[in-house]
Amino acid sequence: KYDGDITFADVVARCPIPVIESNKQLTRGYTDGKKIWISQYIPDAQKICVLFHEMAHYNLHFDSDRNELTSATKELEAEAISYMISAAIGITNDESAAYIRSWVGNNSHELIKNKGTKLIHTAQKIIDDLDIVGLLETKE
């Protein structure tokens, strides 16, 4: 269970992508493929989850085939990856299921079919980029 030992600042310090805390209340997070903005108005654990979500978009949805995927598929992929990484560090993101449903309804099983390897590899890349294992070891 997440105990707050790992802070948003800890994760940002290891992030290879520039991260900006935003004062915009309309969105929790956003990336343009160059930088990531995270709302300053959400709790630390949610900021971490949103950062993982935006890092997934950064890694998956800014290449030459980005227009081949629907917005719903992109959001499903990013949130699934965020959920996996968050769970790995002890954050239970109770909002993930509702967020995915808001984009894809009850169609998530169809959209996620055959994406397991892609999602796991991207989650592993983000874990490696952030050196999550090293971060967890420093907090023990």
Side-chain angles (χ1 to χ4, degrees):
K1 180 103 173 109
Y2 179 72
D3 57 13
D5 277 355
I6 296 173
T7 66
F8 177 66
D10 291 332
V11 180
V12 168
R14 293 169 177 261
C15 190
I17 308 157
V19 177
I20 301 157
E21 279 196 81
S22 170
N23 62 2
K24 293 183 180 175
Q25 293 186 357
L26 298 177
T27 183
R28 294 169 153 257
Y30 172 79
T31 185
D32 63 1
K34 297 178 184 98
K35 296 178 184 170
I36 293 173
W37 288 265
I38 304 291
S39 173
Q40 66 185 13
Y41 300 110
I42 57 177
D44 231 36
Q46 283 301 307
K47 286 180 186 177
I48 293 169
C49 296
V50 172
L51 178 57
F52 296 156
H53 177 102
E54 296 307 328
M55 287 184 76
H57 279 307
Y58 177 91
N59 280 283
L60 290 176
H61 303 137
F62 284 92
D63 54 13
S64 60
D65 67 347
R66 73 179 280 185
N67 293 325
E68 293 176 19
L69 298 174
T70 65
S71 294
T73 298
K74 291 177 193 175
E75 293 305 320
L76 172 66
E77 290 178 347
E79 193 61 20
I81 289 166
S82 172
Y83 186 85
M84 285 189 284
I85 301 169
S86 299
I89 65 168
I91 299 174
T92 302
N93 189 350
D94 295 329
E95 297 175 12
S96 284
Y99 182 78
I100 289 170
R101 263 193 311 282
S102 76
W103 277 97
V104 301
N106 293 322
N107 215 17
S108 61
H109 60 281
E110 195 58 40
L111 290 175
I112 206 162
K113 195 185 327 184
N114 302 319
K115 292 185 182 286
T117 301
K118 174 185 180 181
L119 300 181
I120 290 168
H121 283 217
T122 304
Q124 186 62 58
K125 180 183 183 325
I126 293 169
I127 287 168
D128 292 345
D129 285 351
L130 295 172
D131 187 20
I132 294 291
V133 173
L135 181 58
L136 291 170
E137 287 171 352
T138 64
K139 299 298 179 173
E140 287 180 348

